[in-house]
Amino acid sequence: MSKFCKFFILFLVICAFSVTGIAYAGVDVKYVYVAGTPIGISVNADGLIIDGLSDVITDDGRVSPFGETDVTSGDIIISIDGKAIRRRDDIIRALNESGDEIEIEIKRKEKILNYKIRPAVESLNKEKRLGIIVKEDVSGIGTLTFVSENKRFVALGHAIYDGKVDYRELQDGNIYKSSILGVNIGKRGAPGELKGIFSAAETNILGTIDSNTSFGIYGNYVGETNRFKRYEICSKSDVQTGRAQILCTIEGDVPKFYDVEIVKATAQSAEAEKGLIVRVTDNTLIGKTGGIVQGMSGSPIIQNGKLIGALTHVFINDPLRGYGVYADFLINK
């Protein structure tokens, strides 16, 4: 092969790399459909999440079936007597079919623990009880950041968790249509919050969650994208300090643009959160929310007509300021 042919092939390879976008879910992505719309979020564990312990009132007085164990809030019930536990009804069914003692399997982070427990019989209705408060999911309101052309969505900008369960235990769930009803205005030392509502009805599902990461939640989008505008992804190396806008929804379900300033754009060589520091400058947004509030996490940040990142956290002592994550890192997950 001649030197010219080798050079020409190499030139074609370089050009091929230069025109492709950023790798995302096995597909090269250069453009995405930016949302900024509110979503209801519900993520599940591998079983039922223990939210607390309580006494059972029996004919012999108060009894705490787990009182002599180290079982605590955040533990996850996987099975009872070998029967998988996913819903509250599963516990009732398993107890009705059990004897005086049960074997309960619990997951705590990376450990699987087994306990033998004697359920207590409640004096009022004579039914077996474990003396635990459980929940089937962790839910809340957030912002949909974008949807790729192959219908993969990114939302929230950070992991969803409840402070008790490790977020890595919460990997499956759904996102739903949502609407913002009002705002608790943010103040120094007291972060504000968007007050939203959503119904977990099957007809309201917008997507299925398959990954809950430190950069946000990811999954397959089943809703329509025709209301979203297509934007090019901006490389983190091209992000500048100065004027920008965020796209978010603070009432109803229609997003609007609000002015912000990129105060700092950290040169991050490895994927990490909080690469951007953002300050709200829009008087309309400040008047209605006090700045950045909970529920705005995931709001897209636009600069020079390109998507540069998403909001992630608010400064506790300065609601006008918050952190953002680069779009490069969101698209690479």
Side-chain angles (χ1 to χ4, degrees):
M1 184 181 295
S2 70
K3 291 183 178 179
F4 174 79
C5 289
K6 291 180 180 178
F7 173 79
F8 183 69
I9 292 172
L10 178 61
F11 174 77
L12 288 179
V13 171
I14 292 173
C15 288
F17 276 106
S18 68
V19 299
T20 56
I22 303 167
Y24 175 50
V27 178
D28 284 336
V29 174
K30 193 173 183 180
Y31 293 89
V32 293
Y33 295 99
V34 171
T37 50
I39 52 171
I41 302 167
S42 173
V43 287
N44 310 306
D46 289 335
L48 279 184
I49 301 167
I50 296 178
D51 202 35
L53 303 179
S54 64
D55 292 338
V56 180
I57 307 301
T58 72
D59 291 342
D60 299 320
R62 292 179 176 272
V63 175
S64 178
F66 284 95
E68 300 300 320
T69 72
D70 62 348
V71 171
T72 187
S73 298
D75 287 348
I76 299 169
I77 300 176
I78 297 175
S79 69
I80 294 177
D81 287 341
K83 302 178 180 69
I85 301 297
R86 294 294 181 271
R87 298 287 182 263
R88 291 181 178 87
D89 290 346
D90 293 338
I91 290 183
I92 296 172
R93 189 178 304 110
L95 293 180
N96 287 338
E97 296 172 356
S98 72
D100 292 337
E101 187 176 73
I102 63 169
E103 185 168 326
I104 187 166
E105 187 177 33
I106 284 179
K107 186 175 184 181
R108 181 181 301 153
K109 294 184 179 180
E110 300 301 319
K111 295 181 179 180
I112 301 297
L113 306 171
N114 291 280
Y115 300 86
K116 289 188 176 181
I117 301 294
R118 295 182 69 85
V121 179
E122 194 172 48
S123 61
L124 183 63
N125 52 28
K126 304 305 179 184
E127 293 183 353
K128 293 179 181 177
R129 295 283 186 258
L130 291 178
I132 54 175
I133 302 166
V134 296
K135 57 184 178 182
E136 298 178 357
D137 64 2
V138 175
S139 59
I141 299 291
T143 298
L144 180 65
T145 308
F146 62 75
V147 180
S148 70
E149 292 181 311
N150 66 337
K151 302 286 277 189
R152 291 285 294 175
F153 74 82
V154 181
L156 207 57
H158 59 74
I160 184 169
Y161 55 91
D162 71 345
K164 297 177 181 177
V165 184
D166 190 303
Y167 75 87
R168 288 166 291 191
E169 302 290 347
L170 305 168
Q171 294 295 322
D172 303 314
N174 296 312
I175 60 172
Y176 299 88
K177 297 175 184 177
S178 177
S179 183
I180 303 302
L181 303 180
V183 182
N184 288 330
I185 295 178
K187 300 176 182 178
R188 289 184 180 273
E193 182 181 19
L194 295 178
K195 296 184 290 185
I197 188 172
F198 73 93
S199 168
E202 189 171 341
T203 53
N204 289 328
I205 294 176
L206 290 176
T208 56
I209 301 167
D210 55 38
S211 185
N212 178 23
T213 79
S214 59
F215 291 91
I217 54 173
Y218 294 75
N220 295 315
Y221 193 73
V222 298
E224 297 294 330
T225 58
N226 53 10
R227 64 181 293 196
F228 306 146
K229 185 177 178 181
R230 192 167 175 260
Y231 280 86
E232 184 177 357
I233 297 289
C234 179
S235 171
K236 65 181 183 300
S237 61
D238 294 329
V239 176
Q240 305 168 0
T241 57
R243 296 179 60 183
Q245 289 184 309
I246 58 172
L247 181 62
C248 62
T249 305
I250 60 173
E251 54 187 359
D253 62 356
V254 179
K256 294 182 180 180
F257 283 102
Y258 299 97
D259 293 332
V260 299
E261 177 188 9
I262 305 301
V263 177
K264 185 176 181 180
T266 305
Q268 294 174 307
S269 58
E271 292 184 358
E273 302 174 79
K274 303 179 180 180
L276 299 169
I277 295 180
V278 180
R279 183 172 68 89
V280 175
T281 59
D282 195 293
N283 289 330
T284 299
L285 184 60
I286 294 171
K288 292 185 175 182
T289 67
I292 299 169
V293 298
Q294 295 178 35
M296 287 168 60
S297 297
S299 296
I301 308 171
I302 306 295
Q303 186 180 68
N304 298 324
K306 295 181 180 181
L307 176 68
I308 67 171
L311 288 180
T312 61
H313 301 81
V314 61
F315 283 24
I316 300 298
N317 292 319
D318 185 0
L320 294 183
R321 294 175 181 248
Y323 288 109
V325 58
Y326 285 113
D328 278 9
F329 297 153
L330 293 177
I331 206 78
N332 275 330
K333 299 308 291 177

